[in-house]
Amino acid sequence: MTDTRPTACLLVIGDEVLSGRTRDANIQFLGQRLGELGIPLREVRVIPDDRAVIVATVNDVRARFTYVFTTGGIGPTHDDITSECVAEAFGVPWVVHPEAYAEMAADYASRTPPVEFNAARLRMATVPEGASLIRNAVSVAPGFRIGNVHVMAGVPKVMQAMFEAIAPTLEGGIPTVSRSVHAVGIFEGTIAAPLGAIQEASEGVSLGSYPYYRASGNGVAIVARGTDAAAVEQAIARVAEMIRAEGAEPVFGEPG
């Protein structure tokens, strides 16, 4: 069965992620939320703070996916170049957005003591010409949307607020349903053949096998995903039967 739902790609932008200094916490959130909206996250790329790489990658993925989301690189420092690179990718000027300027100026002036709205902070109010703002409930500095590209902060709390602000505007498809079962004492090498048979018989359902290691015992978790809830439930029930046939007790849900 062909999946005709809209698709998404995430660009994680930042040298700090590639160097290992910062652990990305946004992929899991976006994968889950987009799945709930019926927009499968099909690809994630982690790229550096490099102008040529960002411009080329944005132009590549925006032509191939329904929605593109970026995280990182929209702060006030010299290496925060995502916004201006997206402007270059779209071939438009990088300009101060009047609403963003007014909101940020008012916010900085209202603080005690007032904060200088200097050139560095002005970068956060500067976006590609024609972009619309993505506001958030955490901080005044906005993200933005231009075409099918949504540019958001890298800080997870801020990114999540930005995503929730735009979620109602995204046209999704049938949500992805996910069910899982796990068992101690079962190993992938043992269940590979029967699990493959269940997969072959479960049209429209994707089965994933994930070993886990715990002090209480090692085992395997099996996850069934698909858009047909009944088919997903049937597939995970077959997996549970297979686990029992192997002499273990299936436990529905993820291992603790």
Side-chain angles (χ1 to χ4, degrees):
M1 183 172 61
T2 302
D3 191 341
T4 59
R5 294 179 295 172
T7 57
C9 175
L10 169 62
L11 302 182
V12 180
I13 302 172
D15 293 340
E16 69 277 11
V17 178
L18 287 168
S19 70
R21 184 196 180 281
T22 299
R23 178 182 299 176
D24 181 82
N26 295 324
I27 297 173
Q28 182 181 29
F29 172 84
L30 281 172
Q32 291 178 341
R33 286 292 287 118
L34 288 168
E36 292 169 1
L37 297 174
I39 306 171
L41 181 59
R42 293 301 190 199
E43 189 171 307
V44 177
R45 298 192 194 181
V46 184
I47 60 176
D49 297 307
D50 180 287
R51 182 180 299 273
V53 172
I54 296 173
V55 171
T57 306
V58 167
N59 278 333
D60 176 29
V61 298
R62 72 187 179 97
R64 296 173 46 228
F65 296 92
T66 313
Y67 297 109
V68 175
F69 302 90
T70 78
T71 60
I74 59 172
T77 60
H78 70 281
D79 58 345
D80 289 314
I81 60 173
T82 298
S83 179
E84 54 198 282
C85 290
V86 172
E88 183 175 335
F90 277 83
V92 298
W94 191 49
V95 298
V96 175
H97 194 289
E99 290 181 38
Y101 180 90
E103 291 172 5
M104 292 179 68
D107 178 72
Y108 290 138
S110 69
R111 299 185 189 184
T112 305
V115 174
E116 180 188 2
F117 194 7
N118 57 22
R121 295 187 176 99
L122 183 62
R123 293 175 58 82
M124 296 188 289
T126 309
V127 302
E129 188 173 70
S132 58
L133 299 182
I134 300 176
R135 294 178 172 83
N136 68 86
V138 177
S139 66
V140 67
F144 64 86
R145 171 173 49 200
I146 180 169
N148 63 338
V149 179
H150 303 73
V151 177
M152 302 182 293
V155 177
K157 186 176 182 180
V158 180
M159 184 282 296
Q160 292 174 21
M162 288 182 173
F163 181 81
E164 296 303 342
I166 61 174
T169 71
L170 303 175
E171 295 185 11
I174 302 172
T176 299
V177 176
S178 177
R179 296 289 183 269
S180 61
V181 64
H182 67 278
V184 174
I186 291 292
F187 303 100
E188 287 187 304
T190 305
I191 65 169
L195 184 62
I198 296 172
Q199 175 66 89
E200 188 173 347
S202 303
E203 184 179 357
V205 177
S206 173
L207 293 174
S209 173
Y210 308 97
Y212 64 90
Y213 306 91
R214 303 286 191 275
S216 57
N218 303 332
V220 172
I222 307 298
V223 180
R225 299 184 182 89
T227 57
D228 184 330
V232 170
E233 294 289 358
Q234 184 178 53
I236 209 67
R238 288 175 176 169
V239 172
E241 291 174 6
M242 178 265 292
I243 290 173
R244 290 191 185 96
E246 295 293 334
E249 182 60 31
V251 180
F252 289 94
E254 294 288 342

